[in-house]
Amino acid sequence: MFPDDIDALARQVIETAAARGLTLATAESCTGGLVAGALTAVAGSSAVFERGFVTYSNAAKNEILGVPADLIEAHGAVSEAVAQAMADGALARSPANISVSVTGIAGPGGGSADKPVGLVHFGAVGPSGVAHAEHRFGDIGREAVRLASVRVALALLLDRIGG
Protein backbone atom coordinates (compact mmCIF):
# COMPACT_ATOMS: atom_id res chain seq x y z
CA MET A 1 0.00 0.00 0.00
CA PHE A 2 2.80 2.43 0.93
CA PRO A 3 6.21 2.75 -0.70
CA ASP A 4 8.81 0.37 0.74
CA ASP A 5 10.73 3.12 2.56
CA ILE A 6 7.59 4.22 4.42
CA ASP A 7 6.74 0.62 5.32
CA ALA A 8 10.26 0.09 6.67
CA LEU A 9 10.20 3.33 8.68
CA ALA A 10 6.76 2.54 10.12
CA ARG A 11 7.98 -0.93 11.11
CA GLN A 12 11.00 0.60 12.83
CA VAL A 13 8.75 3.03 14.74
CA ILE A 14 6.43 0.23 15.89
CA GLU A 15 9.26 -2.14 16.87
CA THR A 16 11.24 0.55 18.72
CA ALA A 17 8.17 1.83 20.60
CA ALA A 18 7.18 -1.73 21.54
CA ALA A 19 10.68 -2.49 22.81
CA ARG A 20 10.49 0.58 25.04
CA GLY A 21 6.91 0.05 26.19
CA LEU A 22 5.67 3.30 24.62
CA THR A 23 2.39 4.09 22.88
CA LEU A 24 1.67 6.46 20.02
CA ALA A 25 -0.99 8.91 18.88
CA THR A 26 -1.23 10.95 15.69
CA ALA A 27 -2.95 14.25 14.94
CA GLU A 28 -3.25 14.78 11.19
CA SER A 29 -4.62 17.40 8.90
CA CYS A 30 -3.20 17.45 5.35
CA THR A 31 -2.19 13.77 5.51
CA GLY A 32 -5.76 12.75 6.33
CA GLY A 33 -4.76 9.73 8.42
CA LEU A 34 -1.93 8.43 6.24
CA VAL A 35 0.54 8.43 9.15
CA ALA A 36 -1.88 6.33 11.20
CA GLY A 37 -2.45 4.15 8.14
CA ALA A 38 1.27 3.52 7.69
CA LEU A 39 1.68 2.62 11.35
CA THR A 40 -1.33 0.32 11.49
CA ALA A 41 -0.21 -1.47 8.30
CA VAL A 42 2.51 -3.03 10.47
CA ALA A 43 1.59 -6.36 12.06
CA GLY A 44 1.59 -6.00 15.83
CA SER A 45 0.93 -2.27 15.75
CA SER A 46 -2.06 -2.66 18.06
CA ALA A 47 0.35 -3.08 20.97
CA VAL A 48 1.77 0.38 20.29
CA PHE A 49 -0.62 2.53 18.26
CA GLU A 50 -3.20 4.02 20.62
CA ARG A 51 -5.23 6.31 18.37
CA GLY A 52 -5.22 8.77 15.53
CA PHE A 53 -7.07 12.04 15.13
CA VAL A 54 -7.88 13.37 11.67
CA THR A 55 -8.66 17.03 12.18
CA TYR A 56 -8.88 18.46 8.70
CA SER A 57 -10.92 21.56 9.50
CA ASN A 58 -10.06 24.33 11.93
CA ALA A 59 -13.24 23.51 13.87
CA ALA A 60 -12.08 19.89 14.26
CA LYS A 61 -8.67 21.04 15.49
CA ASN A 62 -10.45 23.12 18.11
CA GLU A 63 -13.22 20.69 19.09
CA ILE A 64 -11.29 17.41 19.02
CA LEU A 65 -7.74 18.43 19.96
CA GLY A 66 -8.47 21.58 21.96
CA VAL A 67 -6.40 23.85 19.72
CA PRO A 68 -7.52 27.35 20.76
CA ALA A 69 -9.47 29.12 18.02
CA ASP A 70 -7.58 32.34 18.75
CA LEU A 71 -4.27 30.51 18.16
CA ILE A 72 -5.50 29.38 14.74
CA GLU A 73 -6.74 32.90 14.02
CA ALA A 74 -3.44 34.49 15.03
CA HIS A 75 -1.04 32.08 13.32
CA GLY A 76 -3.12 30.16 10.78
CA ALA A 77 -3.74 26.43 10.76
CA VAL A 78 -0.44 25.85 8.96
CA SER A 79 2.00 27.09 11.59
CA GLU A 80 4.45 25.93 14.22
CA ALA A 81 2.11 27.04 16.99
CA VAL A 82 -0.84 25.04 15.70
CA ALA A 83 1.29 21.97 14.91
CA GLN A 84 2.56 21.97 18.49
CA ALA A 85 -0.92 22.51 19.92
CA MET A 86 -2.18 19.58 17.84
CA ALA A 87 0.58 17.30 19.17
CA ASP A 88 -0.11 18.46 22.72
CA GLY A 89 -3.84 17.91 22.23
CA ALA A 90 -3.32 14.36 20.98
CA LEU A 91 -1.41 13.51 24.16
CA ALA A 92 -3.92 15.26 26.40
CA ARG A 93 -6.80 13.32 24.82
CA SER A 94 -5.20 9.88 24.87
CA PRO A 95 -3.13 7.67 27.14
CA ALA A 96 -0.29 7.68 24.57
CA ASN A 97 3.28 8.59 25.56
CA ILE A 98 4.29 10.09 22.20
CA SER A 99 2.42 12.08 19.58
CA VAL A 100 3.10 13.57 16.20
CA SER A 101 1.09 16.16 14.30
CA VAL A 102 0.98 17.25 10.67
CA THR A 103 -0.63 20.40 9.23
CA GLY A 104 0.09 21.81 5.81
CA ILE A 105 -0.92 22.75 2.31
CA ALA A 106 -0.81 19.74 0.00
CA GLY A 107 -2.20 21.59 -3.02
CA PRO A 108 -2.81 22.01 -5.78
CA GLY A 109 -4.51 25.18 -4.51
CA GLY A 110 -4.72 26.89 -1.16
CA GLY A 111 -1.26 28.39 -1.01
CA SER A 112 -0.20 32.03 -0.68
CA ALA A 113 3.03 34.01 -0.86
CA ASP A 114 3.60 33.50 2.88
CA LYS A 115 2.36 29.93 2.97
CA PRO A 116 2.94 28.28 -0.40
CA VAL A 117 1.71 24.91 -1.58
CA GLY A 118 4.00 22.28 -0.11
CA LEU A 119 4.50 24.03 3.25
CA VAL A 120 3.99 21.56 6.09
CA HIS A 121 4.52 21.98 9.84
CA PHE A 122 5.06 19.04 12.18
CA GLY A 123 4.95 18.81 15.96
CA ALA A 124 6.02 15.95 18.17
CA VAL A 125 6.01 15.30 21.90
CA GLY A 126 7.61 12.40 23.72
CA PRO A 127 9.97 11.29 26.46
CA SER A 128 12.87 12.94 24.67
CA GLY A 129 11.07 16.28 24.58
CA VAL A 130 9.28 18.47 22.08
CA ALA A 131 10.17 18.85 18.43
CA HIS A 132 9.02 20.98 15.51
CA ALA A 133 9.87 20.68 11.85
CA GLU A 134 8.94 22.88 8.93
CA HIS A 135 9.31 21.57 5.40
CA ARG A 136 8.75 23.35 2.13
CA PHE A 137 8.36 20.48 -0.30
CA GLY A 138 7.26 22.78 -3.11
CA ASP A 139 4.42 22.31 -5.55
CA ILE A 140 5.39 18.69 -6.28
CA GLY A 141 1.83 17.38 -6.41
CA ARG A 142 -0.69 16.55 -3.72
CA GLU A 143 0.22 12.88 -3.35
CA ALA A 144 3.97 13.61 -3.24
CA VAL A 145 3.51 16.27 -0.53
CA ARG A 146 1.39 13.92 1.53
CA LEU A 147 3.81 10.99 1.23
CA ALA A 148 6.81 13.21 1.99
CA SER A 149 4.92 14.40 5.07
CA VAL A 150 4.34 10.81 6.22
CA ARG A 151 8.10 10.17 5.99
CA VAL A 152 8.88 13.24 8.10
CA ALA A 153 6.20 12.41 10.68
CA LEU A 154 7.45 8.84 11.08
CA ALA A 155 11.05 10.06 11.44
CA LEU A 156 9.92 12.53 14.11
CA LEU A 157 8.14 9.75 15.99
CA LEU A 158 11.25 7.60 15.86
CA ASP A 159 13.31 10.51 17.15
CA ARG A 160 10.90 11.17 20.04
CA ILE A 161 10.97 7.46 20.92
CA GLY A 162 14.73 7.73 21.05
CA GLY A 163 15.38 5.33 18.20
Side-chain angles (χ1 to χ4, degrees), residues 67-137:
V67 177
D70 60 341
L71 188 72
I72 297 170
E73 180 68 30
H75 299 279
V78 180
S79 64
E80 177 178 355
V82 169
Q84 196 56 56
M86 289 171 65
D88 291 340
L91 276 191
R93 287 159 174 75
S94 75
N97 309 106
I98 300 168
S99 69
V100 69
S101 67
V102 185
T103 182
I105 305 165
S112 67
D114 288 345
K115 296 184 180 188
V117 169
L119 172 65
V120 183
H121 283 271
F122 304 84
V125 182
S128 60
V130 175
H132 167 259
E134 175 186 319
H135 285 265
R136 293 176 182 260
F137 298 113

Side-chain angles (χ1 to χ4, degrees), residues 17 21-28 48-55 61 64-67 82-102 123-131 156-157 160-161:
L22 300 171
T23 56
L24 313 172
T26 60
E28 303 180 63
V48 171
F49 186 75
E50 214 295 314
R51 69 185 68 178
F53 301 91
V54 177
T55 55
K61 289 173 184 63
I64 296 170
L65 295 173
V67 177
V82 169
Q84 196 56 56
M86 289 171 65
D88 291 340
L91 276 191
R93 287 159 174 75
S94 75
N97 309 106
I98 300 168
S99 69
V100 69
S101 67
V102 185
V125 182
S128 60
V130 175
L156 276 173
L157 277 174
R160 293 302 89 192
I161 293 167

